[in-house]
Amino acid sequence: MPGTKNLVEVVKTVKPTALIGAAAQPKTFTKEIIEEMSKNNERPVIFALSNPTSKSECSAEEAYTWSNNKAVFASGSPFPTYEKDGHIFEPGQGNNAYIFPAVALGVMCCGSITIPDELFLQAAEALSGLVSESDLAVGRVYPRLKDIQETSVKVAVSVIEKAYELNLATVYPKPDDLQAFVRSQLYDTDYSDLMPKTFEYDISKYE
């Protein structure tokens, strides 16, 4: 196709299956564009990943409304639950918080000598495996962000397994229970009480 800066023309000509917005250009994914995506795809992927919400390419409500509830939507900033025609959607966030901390945790726990692309691919595959049927039922294609610590532990374990497979790990012997090993390395905000214990005495009997 001839060169163009018109996204509508690109969508009409190329017929992409997914749109990923990451340029902080708000309202780029217009009604016409999303309707065109819906004509070309049974489940068009609409990822409006720019932050903050004011820079988002479209809102969750717009993506669902203009696609007649067909869109597979994720955003960089949170959007509220949306209900239409008896369908409840809980749009998820497509955030690097799912990958980078988990990869770093896994690499630090096993002492990986390098961080090749294979570890990031492994992390992505592990993350996709944590998306449940209940997530998909409400339109989420990522695990709930409030479960991020549990998600990170499981992704880190997968990264560690891959690091050992690639002979990158330097922590030996390999821990038998990798999940327990990773959990033991997590920062714990529950501190022991450092104040001395005090006791109440009845001093009246000494008076």
Side-chain angles (χ1 to χ4, degrees), residues 8-205:
V8 176
E9 292 302 318
V10 173
V11 170
K12 287 182 176 180
T13 304
V14 178
K15 302 184 186 308
T17 57
L19 289 180
I20 300 177
Q25 299 299 308
K27 303 303 178 183
T28 305
F29 298 164
T30 63
K31 183 174 186 289
E32 184 179 6
I33 287 172
I34 292 179
E35 286 179 344
E36 188 66 28
M37 287 287 294
S38 300
K39 291 178 185 177
N40 301 332
N41 302 281
E42 181 61 32
R43 297 298 306 276
V45 175
I46 309 295
F47 280 9
L49 302 182
S50 292
N51 292 312
T53 305
S54 62
K55 298 292 186 181
S56 183
E57 289 75 15
C58 68
S59 69
E61 180 176 348
E62 289 168 341
Y64 293 131
T65 301
W66 294 339
S67 68
N68 195 27
N69 297 342
K70 293 168 60 177
V72 176
F73 180 82
S75 58
S77 295
F79 281 99
T81 297
Y82 174 66
E83 184 172 357
K84 181 186 177 185
D85 300 332
H87 296 277
I88 297 176
F89 298 96
E90 297 179 8
Q93 287 180 252
N95 199 297
N96 58 23
Y98 287 108
I99 294 294
F100 290 160
V103 170
L105 177 60
V107 165
M108 292 175 68
C109 285
C110 72
S112 181
I113 57 175
T114 61
I115 311 176
D117 291 344
E118 287 87 346
L119 296 190
F120 284 100
L121 179 59
Q122 184 66 33
E125 291 178 348
L127 178 63
S128 68
L130 297 175
V131 179
S132 66
E133 289 298 324
S134 61
D135 289 323
L136 295 174
V138 293
R140 281 194 304 267
V141 290
Y142 292 87
R144 295 184 304 176
L145 199 58
K146 74 176 187 177
D147 298 329
I148 189 65
Q149 186 179 81
E150 187 65 23
T151 297
S152 294
V153 167
K154 292 177 179 178
V155 173
V157 168
S158 184
V159 168
I160 292 172
E161 290 280 15
K162 191 66 175 181
Y164 277 105
E165 178 187 325
L166 297 175
N167 294 318
L168 298 175
T170 59
V171 173
Y172 284 95
K174 177 183 176 183
D176 293 327
D177 188 337
L178 284 177
Q179 190 164 142
F181 174 64
V182 169
R183 291 185 189 281
S184 72
Q185 309 301 310
L186 295 179
Y187 180 75
D188 189 354
T189 57
D190 293 327
Y191 293 96
S192 300
D193 189 356
L194 300 180
M195 297 299 292
K197 292 183 178 180
T198 59
F199 302 90
E200 296 292 333
Y201 287 95
D202 180 6
I203 64 173
S204 62
K205 61 184 178 181

